[in-house]
């Protein structure tokens, strides 16, 4: 089992930056693939990015490549999402998730989810 708690969301102007954190507890965090997803009002939850257990491999949605960076600190049981050059279309609830399958980016593989944190990009 893995329990996840996100933090760091808020209101930011276009072009600004935010860093989200996801604190994990449970015995499988260090061996889990960790992902970030987001869901805007009226839309399906979509993949943002993922990082494998060793942090040597990351994947990103095309919409955030070059702007968002995922990292993890297994000693602190924490995964991060650094978001730069934010756009209004990045506005959504952001969710942290954990998967046992190595290297996956498929939403249905992620069996553990946090409660989400709101990110609003607006002037």
């Amino acid at each position: 089992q893995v329990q996840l708690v996100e933090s760091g969301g808020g209101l930011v102007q276009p072009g600004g930056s935010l860093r989200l954190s996801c604190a994990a507890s449970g015995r499988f965090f260090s061996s889990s693939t960790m992902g970030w997803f987001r869901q805007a009002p009226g839309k399906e939850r979509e993949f943002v990015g993922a990082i494998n257990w060793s942090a040597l491999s990351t994947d990103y949605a095309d919409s955030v490549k070059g702007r968002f960076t995922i990292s993890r600190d297994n000693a602190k049981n924490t995964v991060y999402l650094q978001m730069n050059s934010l756009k209004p279309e990045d506005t959504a609830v952001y969710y942290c998730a954990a998967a046992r399958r190595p290297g996956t980016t498929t939403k249905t593989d992620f069996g553990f989810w946090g409660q989400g944190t709101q990110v609003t990009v607006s002037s």
Side-chain angles (χ1 to χ4, degrees):
Q1 293 284 346
V2 178
Q3 293 80 41
L4 305 170
V5 178
E6 303 96 334
S7 62
L11 173 65
V12 63
Q13 292 187 341
S17 298
L18 276 177
R19 188 175 82 154
L20 306 183
S21 298
C22 174
S25 60
R27 55 189 292 191
F28 298 120
F29 171 78
S30 61
S31 62
S32 297
T33 298
M34 298 301 297
W36 285 96
F37 293 77
R38 66 187 182 186
Q39 188 166 18
K43 295 187 177 181
E44 290 192 2
R45 194 171 299 188
E46 64 175 6
F47 171 75
V48 173
I51 186 168
N52 77 331
W53 69 272
S54 66
L56 293 179
S57 177
T58 54
D59 288 285
Y60 298 95
D62 288 343
S63 58
V64 306
K65 276 181 182 176
R67 300 188 299 123
F68 290 12
T69 302
I70 295 177
S71 60
R72 68 190 293 167
D73 185 338
N74 286 344
K76 295 182 178 180
N77 278 14
T78 304
V79 63
Y80 305 96
L81 180 67
Q82 177 67 44
M83 305 185 293
N84 299 327
S85 302
L86 282 160
K87 305 174 182 180
E89 51 263 44
D90 294 319
T91 295
V93 177
Y94 282 71
Y95 297 90
C96 174
R100 299 304 310 280
R101 178 169 292 186
T104 185
T105 62
T106 303
K107 185 169 56 178
T108 52
D109 285 338
F110 289 82
F112 305 98
W113 294 83
Q115 82 290 348
T117 185
Q118 177 70 47
V119 171
T120 303
V121 185
S122 175
S123 55

